[in-house]
């Protein structure tokens, strides 16, 4: 349903531009590859996997927060691309189509995870080893300027901040930041209006700002 | 105190992303020029966005493409031979397993119930006995007032109350 709507919007967009699929394919080498995949060319499919695996795994990793699961989901997304190859028509950039499939997969995973939540460990259950590094960092944040923090520690903090966002906000942020997608492209992937994406990103980035405000410095002073 | 309203705040992110229309961007810039608090908000949003760069971009495992192509070959082979891929077969087997488990549980429950309440099994036989002795059942209340059968027989003795008058 969502994907169909996105494809319809995509085709309307192409029709408005008066651009044929042949013209699009000539311009976009990935579309040319996908058209070869549609004709059962496995070498072309391997090329597509090789071209997009890093990007797709990165996006999946930031959405589900687990490297192994991210690889599994990325692999499934590629296989879905292959399975639906005969229905492929170049109406938009190939990456938009790929990330629409990836978005649906990731959202399903996050929703099923919500239905079967894992029991988080209580931070106070650290035992005789004392607080974990992230916990220690929170305790020490007033003493340590951001510049001195290790990259890994910052990554953990940013990861936690990202996890405070709801699923849709997280998808929008990840596509915007890591895929450099503009609002129209995100709207197509997420089956939303551009206005809704603007509002979604505004709320998401404000939530991130609040979650990370202790680590934002203004004129050498932490932001209040 | 910032001079920005809710709409301006929603526009801030779009402004930073270069997604705000020219007119709205100019109006926002005019406010930012005279409002240091608003400029601080923009700076905070900009820095927050920059912090996302600390997130790692994990490289795929070296065998990722090979593994994906292998899985594809397995799928294609299953389509050709009509055999289900392992994942689908496992899923199908798990459905069959669950169905079998439900059947076994139902049968076990029925057997156990018969073992615990055997009378329930013989309810037809029991009804037949009740019908056969319906006369006794109907007068059970009266019979319960009688101590024993000898007493009843004694009541039937004609000498006890004398002959009936004709």
């Amino acid at each position: 349903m969502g994907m169909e709507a996105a494809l319809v919007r995509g085709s309307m967009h192409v029709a408005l531009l008066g651009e044929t699929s042949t013209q699009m394919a000539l311009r976009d080498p990935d579309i040319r590859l996908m058209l070869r995949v549609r004709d059962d060319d496995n070498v072309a499919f391997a090329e597509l996997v090789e071209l997009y695996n890093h990007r797709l795994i990165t996006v999946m990793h930031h959405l589900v927060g687990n490297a192994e699961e991210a690889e599994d989901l990325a692999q499934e997304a590629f296989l879905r691309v292959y399975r639906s190859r005969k229905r492929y028509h170049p109406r938009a950039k190939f990456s938009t189509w790929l990330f629409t499939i990836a978005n649906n997969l990731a959202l399903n995973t996050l929703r099923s995870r919500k239905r079967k939540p894992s029991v988080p460990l209580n931070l106070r259950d650290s035992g005789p080893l004392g607080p974990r590094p992230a916990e220690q960092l929170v305790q020490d944040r007033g003493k340590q300027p951001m510049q001195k923090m290790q990259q890994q520690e910052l990554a953990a903090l940013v990861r936690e901040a990202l996890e405070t966002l709801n699923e849709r906000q997280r998808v929008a942020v990840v596509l915007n930041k890591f895929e450099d997608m503009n609002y129209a492209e995100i709207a197509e992937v997420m089956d939303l209006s551009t206005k809704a994406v603007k509002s979604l990103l505004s709320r998401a980035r404000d939530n991130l700002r609040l979650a990370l405000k202790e680590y934002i410095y203004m004129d050498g002073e932490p932001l209040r | 105190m910032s001079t920005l309203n809710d709409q301006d705040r929603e526009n801030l992110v779009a402004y930073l992303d270069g997604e705000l229309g020219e007119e709205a961007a100019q109006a926002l810039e005019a406010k930012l020029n005279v409002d240091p608090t608003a400029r601080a908000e923009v700076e905070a949003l900009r820095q927050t966005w920059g912090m996302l760069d600390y997130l790692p971009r994990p490289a795929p495992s070296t065998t990722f493409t090979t593994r994906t192509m292998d899985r594809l070959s397995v799928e294609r082979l299953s389509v050709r031979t009509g055999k289900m891929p392992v994942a689908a077969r496992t899923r199908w087997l798990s459905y069959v397993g669950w169905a079998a488990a439900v059947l076994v549980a139902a049968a076990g429950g029925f057997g156990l119930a018969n073992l615990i309440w055997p009378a329930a099994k013989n309810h037809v036989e029991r009804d037949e006995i009740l019908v056969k002795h319906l006369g006794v059942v109907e007068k059970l209340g009266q019979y319960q007032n009688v101590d024993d059968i000898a007493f009843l027989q004694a009541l039937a003795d004609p000498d006890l109350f004398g002959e009936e008058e004709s």
Side-chain angles (χ1 to χ4, degrees):
Chain A
M1 172 79 178
M3 202 161 131
E4 275 172 21
L7 290 175
V8 168
R9 255 206 317 273
S11 63
M12 283 168 68
H13 180 66
V14 170
L16 283 171
L17 290 174
E19 202 169 15
T20 65
S21 58
T22 319
Q23 284 170 320
M24 283 189 79
L26 285 173
R27 256 190 322 115
D28 185 346
D30 298 343
I31 289 182
R32 286 204 296 274
L33 268 179
M34 188 57 214
L35 289 174
R36 281 171 54 201
V37 174
R38 191 174 68 178
D39 297 334
D40 298 326
D41 183 341
N42 279 8
V43 177
F45 182 65
E47 272 182 58
L48 267 182
V49 172
E50 200 61 47
L51 266 175
Y52 278 93
N53 61 15
H54 198 175
R55 284 166 62 180
L56 192 52
I57 288 170
T58 298
V59 165
M60 287 298 195
H61 188 210
H62 296 320
L63 293 181
V64 299
N66 174 303
E68 201 178 324
E69 201 175 6
E71 280 217 359
D72 288 347
L73 286 171
Q75 193 177 55
E76 182 57 32
F78 281 123
L79 290 173
R80 285 190 185 190
V81 163
Y82 190 85
R83 284 179 210 133
S84 31
R85 69 193 181 283
K86 296 292 180 191
R87 297 192 296 273
Y88 177 72
H89 294 290
R91 292 179 174 119
K93 279 163 74 179
F94 168 75
S95 58
T96 309
W97 189 58
L98 174 67
F99 283 102
T100 303
I101 292 172
N103 170 54
N104 291 337
L105 255 175
L107 285 182
N108 285 343
T109 304
L110 291 171
R111 281 168 193 159
S112 76
R113 191 189 283 176
K114 209 182 264 180
R115 282 196 293 271
K116 294 180 278 185
S118 55
V119 181
L121 281 173
N122 190 330
L123 280 177
R124 279 172 294 186
D125 295 339
S126 303
L129 296 175
R132 294 181 179 80
E135 197 180 2
Q136 186 64 51
L137 193 66
V138 171
Q139 286 169 5
D140 294 349
R141 64 190 173 194
K143 304 168 200 164
Q144 271 184 311
M146 187 180 84
Q147 292 84 345
K148 288 185 184 169
M149 284 184 187
Q150 295 300 310
Q151 181 150 346
Q152 223 174 346
E153 290 171 322
L154 270 168
L157 284 169
V158 178
R159 168 88 246 150
E160 274 177 36
L162 201 58
E163 278 170 8
T164 64
L165 305 182
N166 68 36
E167 295 147 6
R168 285 154 82 89
Q169 287 178 354
R170 209 184 306 171
V171 170
V173 163
V174 168
L175 291 177
N176 191 204
K177 178 72 186 177
F178 297 98
E179 270 303 304
D180 209 18
M181 280 190 187
N182 60 35
Y183 290 11
E185 286 169 322
I186 297 171
E188 198 162 333
V189 168
M190 297 184 74
D191 193 23
L192 295 171
S193 67
T194 311
K195 195 169 180 289
V197 170
K198 181 187 165 200
S199 172
L200 192 66
L201 276 170
S202 169
R203 285 197 305 273
R205 282 168 70 168
D206 201 44
N207 289 342
L208 284 175
R209 180 182 65 84
L210 290 173
L212 293 167
K213 68 178 178 187
E214 305 282 344
Y215 310 97
I216 298 168
Y217 281 70
M218 211 68 74
D219 302 324
E221 294 292 321
L223 188 75
R224 294 288 166 214
Chain B
M1 185 73 184
S2 174
T3 55
L4 297 180
N5 58 34
D6 287 348
Q7 185 59 52
D8 292 332
R9 286 207 168 77
E10 191 174 305
N11 284 344
L12 277 185
V13 169
Y15 171 73
L16 286 171
D17 287 341
E19 295 266 359
L20 202 59
E22 201 175 328
E23 205 175 310
Q26 278 173 0
L28 191 61
E29 273 170 6
K31 285 191 179 182
L32 293 176
N33 284 337
V34 294
D35 184 350
T37 315
R39 282 203 300 277
E41 278 186 48
V42 174
E43 179 57 18
L45 283 169
R46 199 189 56 74
Q47 280 196 37
T48 308
W49 199 235
M51 284 180 80
L52 292 186
D53 289 327
Y54 285 101
L55 286 173
R57 297 182 189 223
S61 57
T62 49
T63 58
F64 181 82
T65 303
T66 319
R67 280 190 292 119
T68 307
M69 296 310 289
D70 286 348
R71 247 187 87 180
L72 182 67
S73 303
V74 172
E75 277 200 17
R76 284 165 63 98
L77 192 69
S78 356
V79 169
R80 269 206 298 272
T81 59
K83 281 184 183 169
M84 274 183 272
V86 177
R89 196 165 58 230
T90 311
R91 195 165 51 241
W92 189 81
L93 280 176
S94 81
Y95 293 149
V96 171
W98 275 108
V102 168
L103 276 177
V104 168
F110 184 71
L112 195 66
N114 273 339
L115 208 67
I116 296 170
W117 302 289
K121 197 174 95 180
N122 302 322
H123 67 280
V124 176
E125 202 179 318
R126 188 189 58 199
D127 288 350
E128 280 171 3
I129 294 168
L130 288 173
V131 169
K132 191 176 165 188
H133 299 285
L134 188 61
V136 178
V137 172
E138 282 175 343
K139 292 181 178 167
L140 195 60
Q142 293 169 30
Y143 293 154
Q144 277 172 341
N145 294 325
V146 176
D147 289 337
D148 52 42
I149 194 75
F151 176 73
L152 269 182
Q153 282 166 346
L155 282 178
D157 187 349
D159 296 336
L160 188 62
F161 299 108
E163 287 297 325
E164 276 183 28
E165 285 176 18
S166 51

